[in-house]
Amino acid sequence: EAQVTQNPRYLITVTGKKLTVTCSQNMNHEYMSWYRQDPGLGLRQIYYSMNVEVTDKGDVPEGYKVSRKEKRNFPLILESPSPNQTSLYFCASSRGLREKLFFGSGTQLSVL
Amino acid sequence: LAKTTQPISMDSYEGQEVNITCSHNNIATNDYITWYQQFPSQGPRFIIQGYKTKVTNEVASLFIPADRKSSTLSLPRVSLSDTAVYYCLVGDIADGGATNKLIFGTGTLLAVQP
């Protein structure tokens, strides 16, 4: 089944403790991206990747890192999480930039 | 910088046609307009995409005027299961051209009542 898999689904952590949210897709998509969703602010793009080893900042990249060493994986890294990064995070992939996006189920992150 | 504007919420009744409009005054000439549906605790799901005029698929229609500064998602005969948040999506723009960033609106919460 074609899908985007994010893990974990829920995560509670403390300020400053490095964490990684994984994202994997099995559709051989070139474009992958991360979003955060906050009440009243909709979906905001954090980082995106056009292909392997090609990543760039979205609208709200501060405090986040990504890597794209393989086509299928696009992990989101929070080196030193802070409470203002408490949010619902979504990973998405598509064949290309203007193609239909397929989203993961989301990761609810709480930073205490 | 591109920006989209949608109504925060809309109410409807089962069986009615619902039209949700998104304003995107600053859209690149070669960009598409895409709409997504999101249910609570789920990722957004693609509904429809268009470039100009009218596009129709099995679930919705998308109307885009000639100036492309807005678009209207039309849902025919809504049911309770259409209660969701609807987002329009365009690409970001810089120096008159489309960039690789994507800009979602804040979404419209559609509440369908019996």
Side-chain angles (χ1 to χ4, degrees):
Chain A
E1 180 191 350
Q3 60 185 2
V4 177
T5 303
Q6 285 179 237
N7 280 299
R9 187 79 171 87
Y10 301 94
L11 180 58
I12 300 174
T13 190
V14 295
T15 299
K17 186 176 181 182
K18 180 180 178 181
L19 67 90
T20 299
V21 184
T22 64
C23 175
S24 180
Q25 51 92 4
N26 62 0
M27 296 169 278
N28 201 36
H29 284 169
E30 293 195 346
Y31 186 88
M32 296 187 75
S33 51
W34 276 102
Y35 303 84
R36 61 176 291 173
Q37 187 170 38
D38 302 288
L41 297 177
L43 285 153
R44 294 180 292 168
Q45 192 179 53
I46 303 171
Y47 267 95
Y48 63 91
S49 170
M50 299 295 290
N51 212 326
V52 176
E53 301 292 3
V54 181
T55 64
D56 209 343
K57 297 176 182 178
D59 245 5
V60 289
E62 295 77 20
Y64 305 95
K65 282 176 56 176
V66 292
S67 69
R68 188 93 183 270
K69 294 187 173 63
E70 307 163 282
K71 200 169 188 177
R72 62 184 293 125
N73 296 323
F74 190 46
L76 179 69
I77 303 155
L78 284 72
E79 296 266 359
S80 183
S82 63
N84 64 11
Q85 292 178 299
T86 291
S87 186
L88 178 58
Y89 292 86
F90 288 101
C91 177
S93 73
S94 63
R95 287 187 307 182
L97 178 59
R98 297 288 182 260
E99 303 280 339
K100 175 168 71 172
L101 286 164
F102 291 81
F103 283 82
S105 300
T107 296
Q108 181 63 59
L109 172 65
S110 295
V111 184
L112 306 177
Chain B
L1 190 65
K3 181 183 175 183
T4 62
T5 304
Q6 303 175 231
I8 294 174
S9 64
M10 295 181 71
D11 292 321
S12 181
Y13 291 95
E14 282 192 290
Q16 288 188 331
E17 178 185 76
V18 171
N19 295 309
I20 306 173
T21 297
C22 178
S23 169
H24 29 77
N25 290 326
N26 198 17
I27 184 172
T29 54
N30 63 341
D31 200 8
Y32 286 83
I33 299 145
T34 314
W35 283 79
Y36 288 83
Q37 176 191 55
Q38 185 181 27
F39 297 113
S41 302
Q42 294 184 25
R45 185 177 67 175
F46 174 89
I47 303 174
I48 196 166
Q49 182 182 67
Y51 180 75
K52 62 180 179 180
T53 62
K54 178 183 175 183
V55 179
T56 297
N57 62 21
E58 61 276 7
V59 297
S61 294
L62 179 60
F63 298 92
I64 304 169
D67 66 7
R68 298 189 353 106
K69 291 182 185 294
S70 67
S71 59
T72 298
L73 174 71
S74 181
L75 303 172
R77 297 179 299 281
V78 295
S79 64
L80 296 176
S81 62
D82 292 316
T83 293
V85 178
Y86 293 83
Y87 291 95
C88 70
L89 170 67
V90 298
D92 198 8
I93 187 169
D95 301 321
T99 72
N100 295 330
K101 276 199 253 183
L102 296 177
I103 305 294
F104 277 88
T106 51
T108 298
L109 174 58
L110 171 65
V112 180
Q113 299 175 36

